[in-house]
Amino acid sequence: MTATATSTGLKHVPVITATQAAALVKSGQTLLVGGFGMTGNPVHLVHALAETDVRDLTYVANNVGEAGLSGGRLLRNGQLRKAIGSFFTSNREAVAAAQEGRLEVQLIPQGSLAEALRAGGAGIGGFYTPTAAGTVIAGDADVRVLNGREMIFVPALRGDVAFVRAWRADEAGNLQYRLTEQNFNRAMATAADLVIAEVEEIVPVGTIPPEQVHTPGLYVDYLVQATLTAEALGSSADVRGSAKKVDEARMHMARRALAELRRGDVVNLGIGIPTLVADLITPAHGVNLHTENGMLGVGPAPEQGGALDYPVNAGKVPVTALPGASYFDSADSFGMIRGGHVDVAVMGGLQVDAHANLANWAVPGKPLLGVGGAMDLASGARRLIVLMTHTDPDGTPKVVPECTLPLTSRGAVSMIITDRAVFEFRDGTLTLTELMPGATLDEMRATTGAAFVEALD
């Protein structure tokens, strides 16, 4: 079955079943799978593939679905040989498979993954980026200094087959995405030899206004109509399933971080303690929240409902959209970050050292499987604020002379807010500027691993 011409001269893209689509994938191929978590994920196509005997796939996606869902089902079946992505820790079974040697894993920072796919679709061999420079993720990549910054080379990524998910398609294959469902889908739709789009509905040519076409039909080879259900959305199906760890110490840190944000700031909040800041922001603050999976103008979480009704943030939690919000894909989102258009990033941390280096994505003895967008944000935002507890549970300091954990970024931290104190890097020097309620200067001297200057207001 091949594309034919419509009466308008546009091609007519064949509509096939998910089973027919799965039959087009061959063992040993590289499969691109769209989605961020389960949002915008072509779950019906992947589940149909799980019913075949296809094996030895290289699976390219942000993550390997969730346990038993989407790529997680292929993983359970032993159909994946290798996974290329940025955040595998969201699927505990993928972590176990990597630890046991059943799954080869290639970890790429989220923004580099999106850009590598965009490059692959545009016929570009690769690109240089400051993201991951000086970290273990860089590996043996070519390193150059460009415009005064150390950058590493990232080769383009392409696939044999791409499974993408769109909200609507017309008969010519033009695709329209919904809310934050563009994520990796737009780039992947350009970067494979064969592109199959799973869509909620198929409409006549002309139904989708030209300015609302996100992926032109020339990229799309086949359409599959499949209705999305809440069950297919996994952990994003309902906001009530995304419990946050909240206590007064964490909320005090969040309130202190909020005090650093200025009207008009574009701000990205990392997962963990930083997400609590979002619950404190009101329209009166005039802060514009950015999330790397493709949204500017993030509002508070709804009281109920899930990703069928709302966009999701980087924590895969359903959120609302404020007036003036916009949606885009992950490649554009990280272009905003690397391009210096995000004023402040608020992130969690495992260690910050006296040289403003941050480590927040990996610990010894555990597989390196979850970098996400942290490296892009830490090196790309104009100002980086780190929120973390002052010590580990055993009392080990987290503000240290030199980071001993794998680095996220070098020399990028502007401020550290812990549950006991606030530090700033003033002229490159770690400086204690504030004590949290109940903390004492003697305590800070005893529990801070790095030397610091005291400049309490």
Side-chain angles (χ1 to χ4, degrees), residues 254-292:
R255 286 189 287 268
R256 182 61 187 83
L258 177 62
E260 292 297 315
L261 308 183
R262 302 290 177 258
R263 175 173 292 276
D265 278 350
V266 175
V267 178
N268 187 291
L269 302 175
I271 60 175
I273 299 174
T275 60
L276 301 176
V277 180
D279 297 332
L280 303 173
I281 293 175
T282 69
H285 289 103
V287 172
N288 200 356
L289 291 182
H290 171 278
T291 180
E292 58 258 39

Side-chain angles (χ1 to χ4, degrees), residues 335-424:
M336 296 173 188
I337 294 166
R338 286 190 306 272
H341 305 292
V342 173
D343 297 294
V344 184
V346 183
M347 303 177 68
L350 297 173
Q351 287 180 336
V352 177
D353 70 21
H355 310 289
N357 299 323
L358 169 66
N360 79 340
W361 69 280
V363 295
K366 295 187 178 181
L368 306 181
L369 294 175
V371 66
M375 289 185 175
D376 303 272
L377 280 163
S379 63
R382 295 177 183 175
R383 190 174 183 220
L384 175 60
I385 300 173
V386 176
L387 273 59
M388 62 183 186
T389 56
H390 200 78
T391 65
D392 287 326
D394 64 0
T396 302
K398 297 172 74 169
V399 181
V400 295
E402 301 275 354
C403 286
T404 57
L405 300 177
L407 289 183
T408 302
S409 66
R410 297 183 300 176
V413 179
S414 304
M415 173 179 279
I416 310 166
I417 300 174
T418 79
D419 53 338
R420 309 304 291 161
V422 178
F423 295 87
E424 298 178 37

Side-chain angles (χ1 to χ4, degrees), residues 206-375:
T207 303
I208 305 174
E211 67 273 15
Q212 293 181 19
V213 172
H214 298 122
T215 293
L218 68 88
Y219 293 110
V220 179
D221 297 294
Y222 294 98
L223 296 174
V224 173
Q225 191 281 322
T227 301
L228 193 65
T229 63
E231 290 74 21
L233 291 169
S235 61
S236 298
D238 196 313
V239 69
R240 289 172 293 190
S242 54
K244 296 179 182 178
K245 186 176 180 180
V246 180
D247 56 39
E248 185 52 34
R250 283 175 166 76
M251 289 308 301
H252 197 78
M253 294 161 66
R255 286 189 287 268
R256 182 61 187 83
L258 177 62
E260 292 297 315
L261 308 183
R262 302 290 177 258
R263 175 173 292 276
D265 278 350
V266 175
V267 178
N268 187 291
L269 302 175
I271 60 175
I273 299 174
T275 60
L276 301 176
V277 180
D279 297 332
L280 303 173
I281 293 175
T282 69
H285 289 103
V287 172
N288 200 356
L289 291 182
H290 171 278
T291 180
E292 58 258 39
N293 57 304
M295 182 179 180
L296 190 61
V298 179
E303 292 185 4
Q304 59 182 11
L308 278 177
D309 310 297
Y310 296 100
V312 301
N313 64 15
K316 304 177 183 66
V317 176
V319 293
T320 55
L322 297 179
S326 57
Y327 302 111
F328 31 87
D329 77 338
S330 293
D332 283 346
S333 185
F334 281 95
M336 296 173 188
I337 294 166
R338 286 190 306 272
H341 305 292
V342 173
D343 297 294
V344 184
V346 183
M347 303 177 68
L350 297 173
Q351 287 180 336
V352 177
D353 70 21
H355 310 289
N357 299 323
L358 169 66
N360 79 340
W361 69 280
V363 295
K366 295 187 178 181
L368 306 181
L369 294 175
V371 66
M375 289 185 175

